[in-house]
Amino acid sequence: MWEARAAEGRGAELLAWAREQALDGVPLRRETFRAPQDRVLVLTWWETADGLDAELPELPEPAAGLTTRPVHRWRFESVAAVG
């Protein structure tokens, strides 16, 4: 998961930038979201046997001034439903 908050008035630019970024490899699925306060979220799904330790492509940091803070990145893995 990749999440960033755009600098004031640059939400559309950050969204366009994120959508244009190619990854080194093709994920099973990729979705891009936007949220209040000009936040952009990109989720990618990868098939790997290494779980959270896998080497996977990441979106880079946007150019200086496009965001208000460093990008946040988190990794998750699917778990079986309970019940």
Side-chain angles (χ1 to χ4, degrees):
M1 185 181 98
W2 180 100
E3 185 267 338
R5 183 174 176 187
E8 182 72 29
R10 298 186 73 183
E13 185 180 350
L14 179 61
L15 177 61
W17 178 90
R19 295 177 84 184
E20 292 169 359
Q21 298 307 300
L23 293 168
D24 186 20
V26 179
L28 297 172
R29 183 172 161 189
R30 175 176 172 165
E31 289 191 48
T32 304
F33 302 86
R34 64 181 171 185
Q37 300 178 330
D38 288 332
R39 294 179 193 278
V40 175
L41 174 69
V42 180
L43 298 176
T44 55
W45 285 258
W46 300 90
E47 188 171 320
T48 177
D50 296 330
L52 296 174
D53 296 326
E55 293 275 336
L56 296 172
E58 299 270 0
L59 290 178
E61 289 284 331
L66 186 54
T67 60
T68 61
R69 56 167 169 71
V71 168
H72 293 303
R73 292 178 176 90
W74 295 279
R75 288 220 176 151
F76 298 89
E77 62 183 341
S78 183
V79 294
V82 177

